[in-house]
Amino acid sequence: MKIFFLVVVMSGWTIIGAADGYTLQPLYRTVSLQQANFTDKPWKLKALSASPAIDWDMDGKLETDIFPKTEDCERDDLMILRKGGIVIKDTGKKLCEDQEAGKQEAGTWTYDAVAKRLTLTENGRSQAYNLLEASASRLVLVYKWKTPKGKTHEIKAVYTL
């Protein structure tokens, strides 16, 4: 009975809003996973940079180009964002320690089209990225990262097919 009452009240609000010329818009909209143009493609990390420069590998030198600092075994990995909201990782031919070869489910993803925000969740931890570009062959993600000392860096990841 309570559910029926709630549906009737919400329907009334919609009709009243339409009659008064008001359009009710949701505050948070996500794009249909089938509409995102970056889904079901094998994305490979091609560039990784930090701004301002950071001592990424703790060698005492500040770097902006941190892609060369990633391990060889990570550079041939692929990320596939399935339309069903599942993230698939393909380890590529070069394996890191304790890594199994092949494709495996690695987490989930959601996309807020209004905010242009892609959120990846793996092992119960979520990381939100601003989507700067999603073309037919290029995906650019940016996130803000704060050091333990409180300094904020912008990390930019460029993926290609």
Side-chain angles (χ1 to χ4, degrees):
M1 184 66 163
K2 289 180 183 178
I3 295 174
F4 176 74
F5 179 73
L6 181 62
V7 170
V8 170
V9 170
M10 290 176 64
S11 297
W13 287 341
T14 304
I15 292 168
I16 291 168
D20 288 344
Y22 296 104
T23 304
L24 301 174
Q25 295 291 329
L27 296 176
Y28 178 81
R29 288 186 290 177
T30 56
V31 69
S32 162
L33 299 183
Q34 286 75 20
Q35 294 173 347
N37 67 348
F38 50 79
T39 59
D40 291 325
K41 296 179 181 180
W43 296 107
K44 185 175 180 180
L45 185 64
K46 285 294 184 179
L48 190 62
S49 60
S51 177
I54 189 169
D55 185 3
W56 188 261
D57 56 359
M58 308 293 216
D59 65 355
K61 299 175 188 170
L62 296 177
E63 299 110 3
T64 55
D65 183 10
I66 54 180
F67 184 72
K69 304 295 180 177
T70 60
E71 294 186 41
D72 282 340
C73 61
E74 295 173 339
R75 291 187 199 150
D76 69 342
D77 291 359
L78 300 175
M79 174 180 66
I80 303 166
L81 305 171
R82 293 280 184 221
K83 286 182 183 170
I86 302 296
V87 177
I88 303 293
K89 294 273 178 118
D90 185 335
T91 57
K93 294 179 183 175
K94 299 175 188 173
L95 300 179
C96 297
E97 284 184 37
D98 300 326
Q99 193 175 40
E100 293 180 30
K103 294 179 183 178
Q104 48 198 306
E105 190 173 314
T108 60
W109 68 275
T110 58
Y111 179 58
D112 178 347
V114 174
K116 293 186 177 183
R117 202 152 180 86
L118 177 68
T119 302
L120 301 176
T121 303
E122 186 176 350
N123 297 324
R125 297 184 66 203
S126 293
Q127 177 66 53
Y129 301 85
N130 291 323
L131 182 71
L132 289 187
E133 181 183 340
S135 68
S137 61
R138 189 171 143 102
L139 179 67
V140 181
L141 303 175
V142 172
Y143 69 93
K144 304 254 186 217
W145 179 72
K146 192 176 273 193
T147 67
K149 294 182 179 181
K151 188 172 184 179
T152 300
H153 295 270
E154 186 175 277
I155 308 297
K156 182 178 181 181
V158 178
Y159 294 86
T160 61
L161 297 179

